[in-house]
Amino acid sequence: MSAEFDTLSATALRTLVARRDVSPVELTRRALDRAIATQPTLNAFFLILEEEAMAAARVAEDAVMKGAPLGLIHGLPFSAKDLMAVKGVRYASGSRAMADNIAEVDAPAVERAKAQGGILIGKTTTSEFGCKPIGDSPLTGITRNPWNLAMTPGGSSAGAAASVAAGITPFALGTDGGGSIRIPCAFSGLSGLKGQFGRVPVWPTSATPTLAHVGPIARSMSDAALLFSAVAGHDRRDPFAVAGPVPDVMGAAQASVAGMRVAYSPTFGYARPAPEVIAATDRAAQTFEALGCHVEQVDAVFDTDPADLWTAEFYAGVGTRLRDVLENRRALLDPAVADILMPALGQEMKSYYASVFARYALREKMRLFFERYDLLISPVLPVSALEAGRNLPEGLEDRNLVSWVFYTYPFNLTGQPAGAVCAGLSPQGMPIGLQIVGRSYCEDDVVRAAAAFERAQPPGYNRPSAGA
């Protein structure tokens, strides 16, 4: 197979497989070979499941040749982040403290992707328990960005983004508890979708059960919509799972955005973005105007930065899950992660519940905001790149491990759908992310806007100029 297959869309590959023009075995073999070859440079994978993937590919190819009914992603390689369970293999969550843990079940999204014909080629790297929005952990080391190997691909779905940007698989499953799908999409020139909270079920129970999402990372929002459609829907194992029909995001990816009401906020009222980020998102807002949207700039979306609300919930959950390790085996943990987990464990009940009720007030404020608008657009990140191995960008050292991100964690608190696409490139040639937030339960609006924006860009505008 030629290198052109590394950048073909999942939608195109799906058609080629169904027509018997491309073999699932060949696709899978190429994905595995690319994963193995790029491990020394990208370090995108925690585990490569070569034997299991080739066995599944042969089954998928047999179904094609027999003319059997094919699933939504039949014969297409994908990966799953190591915050997700894959039955019978290691489930370490990026931590040396969990290095020998073996999953007893497939996570629902993994189970469904396989059932729809997807070929799981491996588990991708994550920062420890998803606690950092960058790509390193004591267990797996540093994961690097295909655009520039000196830079991080972002996190915590680091390996997922690196592998998709490098053309290893057309899409991947990531998780998002504070931006971990959207952040690496921004740093890696990709498209991702955090659906409505509970739309894609989470099981086994996350360390951050009221914030955690599972969703797709892809090279276009149309491809993300395809994988999302394969894995979304109610599951009784997740007590937060959304019942009812899943929006038609694949259809929405082809729809016009003319007439949509769009709020554009460069800072939300508190963020400190770099000039090149503002320039790119200003151009994105102008694109939506050209597409027929009614765009209004809103400088202050929030009364105050909700970082403390998010920190109280996220780090308390992870800290409680890791209490024994923190108290008795702290040396196993990433020092920066350990340092931020300990204070979260010390919260008093009164303080914690004050944060809980403030979170409900934030949700109501956003509900009222979205009575006036269909969408909110903003940067995903305040910077266009961050050196691999660093925890904080220069000039944002006063923020914590996640609060420097500014833009993503509010919508884990509210639970509403949010996506990321590439807004363009910085003067240094690195991608800049655009966040698109929709009303509760309206993933179709997010996908509709994201896909329309992508269609308005030049072909290949979000492809790495420096390969791995």
Side-chain angles (χ1 to χ4, degrees), residues 260-350:
M260 295 190 84
R261 301 166 299 165
V262 178
Y264 167 45
S265 187
T267 70
F268 288 170
Y270 59 81
R272 289 148 39 198
E276 66 265 23
V277 170
I278 292 299
T281 51
D282 280 351
R283 290 192 296 270
Q286 293 163 12
T287 297
F288 279 107
E289 286 185 324
L291 291 170
C293 296
H294 305 290
V295 179
E296 178 182 340
Q297 184 161 323
V298 179
D299 292 323
V301 174
F302 300 98
D303 297 329
T304 58
D305 180 357
D308 288 345
L309 302 183
W310 182 88
T311 296
E313 188 75 10
F314 186 92
Y315 288 124
V318 177
T320 299
R321 180 68 63 85
L322 290 177
R323 180 184 290 274
D324 175 67
V325 180
L326 279 164
E327 294 176 347
N328 300 304
R329 295 176 289 157
R330 181 172 173 149
L332 290 176
L333 300 176
D334 182 328
V337 170
D339 286 346
I340 204 167
L341 292 180
M342 288 302 292
L345 279 178
Q347 294 181 87
E348 296 179 354
M349 188 68 71
K350 180 179 178 181

Side-chain angles (χ1 to χ4, degrees), residues 190-192 221 380 419-423 432-436 450-451 453-454 461:
L190 301 174
S191 304
M221 189 53 75
V380 176
V421 295
C422 183
I432 294 170
L434 177 73
Q435 179 171 237
I436 302 172
F453 177 82
E454 289 175 331
Y461 84 109

Side-chain angles (χ1 to χ4, degrees), residues 365-386:
K365 180 177 177 62
M366 284 296 95
R367 185 189 68 81
L368 295 172
F369 182 91
F370 278 90
E371 286 187 352
R372 304 193 302 276
Y373 304 103
D374 301 307
L375 298 168
L376 167 64
I377 63 172
S378 75
V380 176
L381 294 168
V383 295
S384 59
L386 177 63

